[in-house]
Amino acid sequence: MSMALKMLKYPAYIRQLYKVHNMKQYIPDTNDTQQNEENENSNRNVPSLADYGIDDAILAPPPEPDEIIWVSKSEIKRDAEDLKKLGLELVNLSPTELAYIPLEEQLKNAIILATKIKKEGRRRQLQLIGKMLRHIEVEPIIQALDKLKNRHNQSVVLLHKLEAMRDALLTGKEDALELVMNQYPDADRQHLRALVRNAQKEQAANKPPKSSRLIYQYLKELVN
């Protein structure tokens, strides 16, 4: 808001004081002692804005153009879209994952509600969540989401590793069992051997891979 617009809310005589105050800032310096004394006497007769309960801060000069941060409409729109995407990520979380995210109660309730409605109602609810995100600090939420994603990625890598380990056991690769035992010393060697034999028999007979699933489950239990 411009200074002129700010001053409009004050009466005319206050605006005149403002003009006088500004004029005082431009009184030229002089070495003439008499002139200085006259200026000082004149200034003493001018009431200050504080006498009328007006904050002097309103008289502060406007910021220099270089200090103003201009934000384009496209940037504002981009930020709004990013917040809508963030809201959608939160809505797509499971209840367990959502509990891990630091959220205000009102925002959390809005997210939970969005998981229960569909179509147009869900779209409007996502817009509401995006607007709510504009008024809070989202960095802690983003950091918590990144940790969840990292944990998920680590879980996927581990599951692929267990599948490869199981496949090595079933194909009879040399030292496959020893590698498992070295990595998981608490593993039951005899139990694993029995599961592998049963799984190989099931494969040969084209039966459902029950024992193969049991091997995978057993390896998963060793990790946990």
Side-chain angles (χ1 to χ4, degrees):
M1 182 183 295
S2 68
M3 188 62 65
L5 289 177
K6 285 183 179 179
M7 291 303 297
L8 282 178
K9 66 180 181 179
Y10 297 107
Y13 70 93
I14 297 298
R15 296 202 295 273
Q16 183 63 30
L17 283 175
Y18 170 69
K19 292 179 180 179
V20 173
H21 182 94
N22 276 352
M23 289 172 65
K24 284 163 47 180
Q25 298 180 24
Y26 297 101
I27 295 175
D29 294 333
T30 175
N31 293 326
D32 188 347
T33 304
Q34 182 179 359
Q35 183 65 39
N36 287 339
E37 290 177 355
E38 291 177 359
N39 289 337
E40 290 177 2
N41 292 333
S42 175
N43 291 341
R44 287 195 193 99
N45 296 327
V46 178
S48 68
L49 294 183
D51 294 335
Y52 295 90
I54 300 176
D55 190 355
D56 286 342
I58 195 173
L59 301 178
E64 295 296 329
D66 291 343
E67 298 177 0
I68 301 175
I69 301 175
W70 300 101
V71 181
S72 67
K73 289 184 179 179
S74 59
E75 287 178 304
I76 295 174
K77 186 176 180 181
R78 241 187 340 263
D79 290 343
E81 288 298 321
D82 289 343
L83 290 177
K84 282 176 63 178
K85 290 177 182 178
L86 177 60
L88 182 59
E89 280 192 70
L90 293 172
V91 170
N92 289 334
L93 293 178
S94 67
T96 303
E97 291 171 331
L98 188 62
Y100 180 77
I101 308 297
L103 296 170
E104 296 178 358
E105 193 66 25
Q106 188 177 6
L107 176 57
K108 186 175 182 180
N109 291 337
I111 292 170
I112 293 173
L113 178 60
T115 64
K116 299 177 181 179
I117 54 182
K118 298 180 180 180
K119 297 182 180 180
E120 183 62 20
R122 178 184 171 92
R123 186 187 68 80
R124 288 197 300 267
Q125 188 68 9
L126 285 172
Q127 287 181 335
L128 173 63
I129 293 170
K131 290 179 181 178
M132 295 173 72
L133 288 170
R134 292 180 204 171
H135 302 290
I136 64 172
E137 178 58 53
V138 298
E139 189 59 31
I141 296 176
I142 294 174
Q143 290 177 355
L145 279 173
D146 288 341
K147 288 181 181 179
L148 274 179
K149 291 174 185 176
N150 185 50
R151 185 181 300 176
H152 174 73
N153 292 338
Q154 290 178 347
S155 298
V156 170
V157 170
L158 177 60
L159 294 180
H160 288 326
K161 177 183 176 182
L162 294 180
E163 287 175 350
M165 196 176 291
R166 177 198 59 191
D167 294 343
L169 288 169
L170 293 179
T171 55
K173 278 191 175 181
E174 293 183 10
D175 299 330
L177 183 58
E178 293 303 322
L179 287 174
V180 174
M181 296 305 301
N182 289 337
Q183 202 157 356
Y184 307 106
D186 294 334
D188 187 334
R189 182 188 295 268
Q190 296 304 320
H191 180 58
L192 263 178
R193 278 179 173 169
L195 288 175
V196 170
R197 283 197 299 268
N198 290 339
Q200 289 171 339
K201 290 178 181 178
E202 289 169 357
Q203 283 181 342
N206 289 326
K207 292 183 178 180
K210 177 181 177 181
S211 297
S212 177
R213 287 194 291 266
L214 290 175
I215 293 172
Y216 179 82
Q217 189 62 38
Y218 183 67
L219 293 174
K220 194 174 178 180
E221 290 172 2
L222 291 175
V223 172
N224 297 331

